[in-house]
């Protein structure tokens, strides 16, 4: 019958009861006290799982002495460094503490060290040994065969545990130890989950959590300007929580996107790692791989990358599980070249090196796994009970560590010793508080060490560790984050090394100049989803992936306002050459040297010279018959208008300002108004004279020169009145028209400086003059029957016909080019030339013949005899009657006859 067990004073939670059931009560079987471990290696049990060191206070130890077994076997091959080095470090630290007269004087530390076999479930079974002493056995109904009550060996009472290594193991064990209030200090578990003080309140660690490590790795990625990475984690708390912390930081800080987040199964199937490499290649731009994986998985990932010919493609960023270890990169140095790894800041403990090199089979019998290490380390066999049956070489026992085998101190040795010393310092402070002045353990500590009180002392320790760095804990039991940054480099001599390229202590310090990549290339490789956009391009982010984007050029009049937006420049501006801002659009005007200005200016200058010549001639011969017959007063008004029509060309081309714009408004229509008002008055006078002559012999009213001037200036005053009203309603000013030459290509855009005269205002300004011109043309048509030598009716008629043709041509040209980029040039040139041509027609047809007679035929410039108005009327009547005879007589005879009879009275009419 199995004995029944009775708890002493610790209530068991349902989770613990379930745990007891899950382990099938295998640990409840009474065992003999392991008072003495066999000293002969050959007599040692083949599968020993614990080391026991006697002492006043017993510490537990959990170390991965063996790897995880395959195919259901709990334990696999021996781990020389991670297992033997570390547990020897714990025993070495205990030896030093027991020899130290200042630390725990008169108190001896002991140990119970177990092998976790790198498996959390197996470690859980082993760690239940630590709580046996806290459960009282009830053997009242148990009897031996002879009837005597059973004798139970009292198990060691564990006051604190050093370990474990793997985070998954520490999590599993911490759930048990917290139920019995046993403090635990880990030397290698870095999972962020263990920082939760509500769930793992009795857990502490001398290594920083992965949340610090993840932050350090994020800082490295940021410093390398990588924004598109993939993550790779070994299944379990360490890998998954590390990657989760990295992803969480990337979300909080932004700027780094996770392309893929892959997980390596605990029991990977054949081809699993090749599949992982192929999946990573699906996002080939994410070259940087953030790895939170165990040593074995790292080695197999590198091997798969090598098999798939991806040497040099991936940029590995490894966590402290890679660190500066040689084993993951042996045989695959090229594929690992350039890998950046991180490791908690540490230093080699020289005293441990001397201690471990001095270990032998004869002086290290307390380590039940040392014989197995000896065989593994020296590749030999210890007698018939050796664990390497295939080896032909036998161990002599005289081999020496470091002389007959390679030796390099394992990276966590320092932290193992710091964890032991942290527990010792806490016990020392507790002893000084509870047993002050008492040599050895006082009853308060000997009978029962309160785990909660010990935990408080652990969290309060502050001392310099084995490497000289301070050992402290925060409120969650975490050590501060201090890391060294390594890069795996291949030198020119093909030698490999992990070179320190920086450090991290809450902030990254990176020696960029010390970094080397494939074949010594110092330039940074890229791991980005999309290349940076060029200046003038905006990022169009791919939905859901903020680090991936398409670059779109800011087109037209848009400029790059920010990394992600293009904005329209203000109307008076255009994008600069880089499209990163806006510059003012150049302002242009019609220049004097432009071909569009040279032609009208040349015509206007000729016209002004000709007009001036006519005026001078008329003034010089002011009293001659021809000048008097032309109507001197009206001729000077008409010549003034012609002169203004030519002069307006210069105002239209001059640089616009308020003064120029004012003069344009005044004189643009005034020249034509002067001309056509005078011509209208003349044609109206001729028409009234001959119409009146048909009815009576009385002269019509208002045909004297003074009356004609009054009529003419009355017509001109209407134009001036309209201009003054225009001034009052809309004062003249300049504008810059950016729409006139706003081409699709912003570089060709120009702003046109011009007077604020719209096309409608222009038509209104010229409209009155055009009305006068049309009315004058009507009268010219009505007086077309008047003899050509009698007066200027017919030359005026031809002048008006030609002028109408000119302006009929002007209208479609002017308004048909309103959408042209050359609008300013075409319209200005068309308007000025039309004005000049109108003036030239009037000048040429009305005055050039008279000037010709005055200058070259003075004999014709003589006075004629005057005739009465009655004779003139008779001549007009005869003109009407003789019109019918023109078809029966030779051409021109009637005209000549009439002209001769009327010529002498022309002076009177004029």
């Amino acid at each position: 019958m199995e004995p029944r067990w009775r708890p002493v004073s610790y209530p068991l939670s349902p989770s613990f009861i379930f745990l007891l059931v899950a382990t099938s009560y295998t640990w409840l079987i009474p065992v003999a006290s392991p008072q003495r471990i066999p000293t002969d290696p050959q007599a040692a049990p083949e599968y020993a799982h614990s080391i026991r060191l006697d002492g006043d206070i017993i510490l537990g130890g959990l170390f991965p002495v063996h790897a995880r077994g395959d195919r259901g076997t709990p334990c696999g091959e021996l781990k020389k460094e991670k297992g033997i080095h570390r547990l020897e470090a714990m025993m070495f630290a205990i030896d030093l503490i027991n020899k130290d007269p200042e630390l725990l004087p008169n108190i001896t530390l002991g140990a119970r060290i177990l092998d976790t076999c790198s498996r959390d479930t197996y470690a859980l079974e082993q760690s239940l040994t630590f709580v046996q002493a806290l459960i009282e056995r009830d053997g009242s109904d148990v009897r031996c065969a002879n009837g005597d009550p059973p004798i139970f060996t009292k198990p060691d009472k564990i006051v604190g545990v050093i370990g474990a290594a793997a985070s998954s193991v520490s999590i599993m064990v911490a759930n048990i130890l917290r139920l019995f209030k046993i403090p635990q200090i880990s030397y290698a578990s870095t999972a962020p989950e263990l920082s939760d003080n509500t769930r793992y309140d009795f857990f502490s660690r001398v290594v920083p959590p992965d949340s610090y490590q993840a932050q350090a790795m994020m800082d490295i990625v940021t410093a390398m300007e990588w924004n598109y990475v993939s993550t790779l984690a070994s299944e379990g708390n360490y890998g998954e929580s590390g990657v989760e912390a990295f992803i969480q930081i990337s979300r909080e800080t932004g700027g780094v996107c996770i392309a893929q987040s892959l997980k390596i199964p605990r029991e990977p199937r054949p081809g699993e790692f090749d599949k992982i490499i192929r999946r990573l290649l699906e996002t080939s731009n994410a070259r940087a791989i953030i790895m939170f994986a165990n040593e074995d998985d790292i080695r197999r990932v590198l091997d798969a990358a090598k098999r798939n010919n991806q040497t040099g493609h991936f940029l590995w960023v490894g966590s402290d599980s890679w660190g500066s270890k040689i084993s993951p990169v042996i045989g695959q140095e090229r594929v690992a070249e350039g890998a950046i790894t991180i490791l908690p800041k540490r230093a080699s403990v020289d005293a441990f090196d001397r201690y471990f090199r001095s270990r032998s089979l004869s002086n290290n019998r307390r380590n039940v796994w040392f014989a197995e290490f000896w065989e593994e380390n020296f590749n030999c066999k210890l007698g018939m009970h050796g664990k390497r049956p295939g080896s032909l070489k036998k161990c002599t026992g005289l081999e020496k560590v470091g002389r007959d085998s390679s030796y390099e101190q394992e990276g966590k040795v320092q932290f193992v010793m710091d964890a032991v010393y942290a527990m010792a310092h806490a016990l020392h402070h507790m002893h000084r508080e509870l047993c002050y002045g008492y040599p050895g353990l006082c009853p308060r500590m000997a009978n029962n060490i309160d785990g909660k009180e010990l935990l408080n002392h652990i969290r309060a320790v502050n001392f310099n560790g084995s490497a000289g760095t301070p050992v402290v804990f925060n409120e969650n039991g975490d050590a501060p984050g201090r890391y060294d940054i390594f890069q795996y480099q291949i030198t020119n001599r093909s030698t490999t090394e992990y070179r320190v390229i920086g450090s991290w202590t809450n902030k990254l310090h990176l020696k960029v100049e010390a970094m080397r990549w494939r074949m010594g290339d110092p330039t940074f490789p890229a791991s980005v989803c999309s290349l940076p956009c060029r200046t003038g391009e905006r990022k169009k982010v791919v939905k859901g992936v903020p680090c991936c984007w398409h670059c779109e050029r800011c087109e037209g009049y848009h400029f790059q306002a920010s990394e992600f937006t293009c904005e329209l420049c203000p109307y008076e501006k255009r994008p600069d050459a880089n499209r990163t801002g806006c510059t003012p659009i150049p302002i242009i005007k019609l220049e004097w040297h432009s071909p569009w200005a040279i032609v009208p200016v040349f015509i206007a200058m000729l016209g002004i010279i000709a007009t001036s010549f006519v005026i001078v001639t008329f003034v010089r011969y002011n009293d001659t018959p021809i000048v008097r017959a032309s109507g001197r007063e009206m001729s000077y008004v008409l010549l003034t208008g012609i002169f203004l029509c030519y002069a307006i060309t210069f105002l239209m081309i001059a640089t616009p300002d308020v003064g120029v714009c004012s003069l344009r408004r005044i004189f643009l229509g005034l020249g034509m108004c002067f001309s056509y008002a005078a011509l209208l008055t003349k044609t109206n006078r001729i028409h009234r004279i001959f119409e009146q002559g048909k009815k009576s012999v009385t002269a019509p009213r208002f045909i004297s020169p003074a009356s004609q001037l009054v009529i003419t200036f009355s017509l001109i005053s209407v134009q001036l009145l309209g201009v003054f009203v225009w001034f009052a309603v809309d004062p003249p000013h300049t504008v810059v028209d950016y729409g006139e030459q706003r081409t699709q290509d912003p570089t060709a855009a120009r702003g046109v400086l011009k007077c604020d005269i719209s096309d409608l205002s222009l038509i209104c300004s010229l409209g009155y003059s055009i009305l006068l011109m049309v009315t004058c043309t009507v009268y010219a048509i009505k007086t077309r029957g008047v003899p050509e030598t009698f007066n200027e009716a017919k030359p005026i008629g031809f002048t008006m016909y030609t002028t109408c043709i000119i302006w009929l041509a002007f209208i479609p040209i002017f308004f048909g080019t309103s959408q042209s980029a050359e609008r300013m040039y075409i319209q200005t040139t068309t308007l000025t030339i039309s004005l000049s041509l109108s003036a030239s027609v009037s000048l040429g047809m009305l005055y050039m013949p008279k000037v010709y007679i005055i200058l070259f035929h003075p004999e014709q410039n003589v006075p004629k005899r005057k005739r009465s108005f009655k004779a003139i009327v008779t001549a007009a009547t005869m003109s009407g009657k003789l019109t019918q005879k023109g078809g029966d007589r030779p051409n021109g005879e009637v005209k000549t006859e009439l002209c001769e009879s009327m010529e002498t009275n022309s002076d009177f009419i004029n």
Side-chain angles (χ1 to χ4, degrees), residues 465-605:
S466 55
T469 56
V471 176
V472 293
F473 301 98
N474 63 13
E475 65 277 5
N476 295 322
D478 295 329
R482 294 188 291 262
Y483 297 97
D484 285 321
I485 312 297
F486 296 87
Q487 187 182 38
Y488 187 68
Q489 298 180 358
I490 300 178
T491 64
N492 294 332
R493 299 179 181 178
S494 297
T495 58
T496 61
E497 64 173 342
Y498 284 98
R499 185 175 180 182
V500 177
I501 59 170
S503 61
W504 191 91
T505 307
N506 296 323
K507 184 179 179 181
L508 179 66
H509 303 277
L510 198 62
K511 302 174 185 175
V512 177
E513 67 280 359
M515 303 183 75
R516 292 291 181 272
W517 304 97
R518 191 176 182 187
M519 304 303 292
D521 185 5
T523 58
F524 281 8
S527 181
V528 295
C529 181
S530 302
L531 294 176
C533 293
R534 294 174 295 181
T535 54
E537 294 181 341
R538 76 176 184 94
K539 293 179 180 178
K540 186 177 182 181
V541 178
V542 177
K543 187 176 181 180
V545 190
C547 298
C548 299
W549 58 78
H550 304 294
C551 295
E552 289 188 350
R553 180 80 173 166
C554 295
E555 298 292 346
Y557 288 83
H558 290 79
F559 72 100
Q560 184 184 3
S562 68
E563 192 176 6
F564 302 99
T565 59
C566 293
E567 291 184 3
L568 186 65
C569 285
Y571 196 67
E572 71 279 2
K573 294 184 178 182
R574 65 182 182 182
D576 57 21
N578 295 326
R579 290 187 176 269
T580 54
C582 297
T583 58
I585 295 176
I587 298 174
I588 61 171
K589 60 182 181 62
L590 185 57
E591 301 291 344
W592 293 101
H593 55 77
S594 169
W596 296 98
I598 292 175
V599 173
V601 166
F602 178 73
I603 296 173
M605 290 179 66

Side-chain angles (χ1 to χ4, degrees), residues 84 356 408 821 877-878 882 905:
I84 301 301
F356 195 79
E408 183 180 357
T877 306
M878 291 176 60
L882 292 175
N905 288 294

Side-chain angles (χ1 to χ4, degrees), residues 617-629 632 636 861 863 907:
T617 302
F618 267 52
V619 172
R620 173 70 177 81
Y621 299 96
N622 188 54
D623 292 326
T624 61
I626 288 183
V627 175
R628 291 169 58 195
R632 287 174 297 184
Y636 290 133
N861 190 11
D907 224 12

Side-chain angles (χ1 to χ4, degrees), residues 218 221 226-231 246-247 250-251 254-260 286 288 527 529 541 544-549:
M218 176 59 69
V221 168
W226 296 338
N227 66 3
Y228 197 51
V229 301
S230 293
T231 62
F246 182 86
I247 294 175
S250 72
R251 288 172 181 164
V256 176
C257 298
I258 309 301
Q260 294 191 77
S527 181
C529 181
V541 178
V545 190
C547 298
C548 299
W549 58 78

